[in-house]
Amino acid sequence: MAYDETLAERVHKLLKRQQGFSQRKMFGGLCYMLHGNMCCGITQNELMLRLGEKNAMKALEMPYTREMDFTGKPMKSMIFVEQPGFEEDDDLKYWVSQAVKFVKSLPPKP
């Protein structure tokens, strides 16, 4: 399994009513987009979030978070959250809402 399908369904339920919502397979997992901008995603059993550089730095102070790095070079605007960090629905909702808030500040992609 490339990504946790139960987690995918939980995230989908949180985002499906957002205007401009779409999803696609990326990074060996699943990415959720808003108006063409990557918002968050799932790789294996971890949550991937696009928060912007400033917000990502703050988020890295929280438990169960780490820098996102696929190529050995960290992506400063994105983080991973490990499973214990979003087991509760309220925690997952918090993390996804942080990514949505950031991505809504970006211009839509054509």
Side-chain angles (χ1 to χ4, degrees):
M1 173 171 58
Y3 59 88
D4 181 330
E5 292 185 24
T6 301
L7 176 57
E9 182 58 32
R10 290 174 66 203
V11 174
H12 186 269
K13 285 180 182 179
L14 291 172
L15 291 174
K16 67 183 177 183
R17 290 188 178 92
Q18 289 286 332
Q19 191 173 29
F21 168 76
S22 63
Q23 67 184 42
R24 68 173 69 152
K25 291 186 179 185
M26 263 181 159
F27 302 117
L30 189 62
C31 273
Y32 298 93
M33 320 283 278
L34 294 178
H35 297 288
N37 290 301
M38 185 169 47
C39 178
C40 60
I42 301 163
T43 56
Q44 297 177 356
N45 63 350
E46 292 185 314
L47 185 62
M48 176 178 60
L49 301 163
R50 183 177 186 186
L51 302 175
E53 192 169 338
K54 180 180 170 185
N55 296 331
M57 286 177 52
K58 285 178 73 174
L60 288 170
E61 296 172 6
M62 298 179 74
Y64 309 112
T65 61
R66 64 182 171 86
E67 289 180 316
M68 181 179 152
D69 65 347
F70 278 118
T71 63
K73 181 178 177 185
M75 298 178 78
K76 295 183 184 216
S77 67
M78 299 185 74
I79 68 165
F80 281 122
V81 181
E82 297 169 357
Q83 203 165 20
F86 56 81
E87 281 179 332
E88 299 296 325
D89 288 340
D90 286 344
D91 294 331
L92 181 63
K93 187 174 182 177
Y94 167 79
W95 284 119
V96 171
S97 72
Q98 295 304 300
V100 167
K101 182 178 175 182
F102 174 73
V103 171
K104 282 186 172 183
S105 74
L106 302 173
K109 289 188 175 180

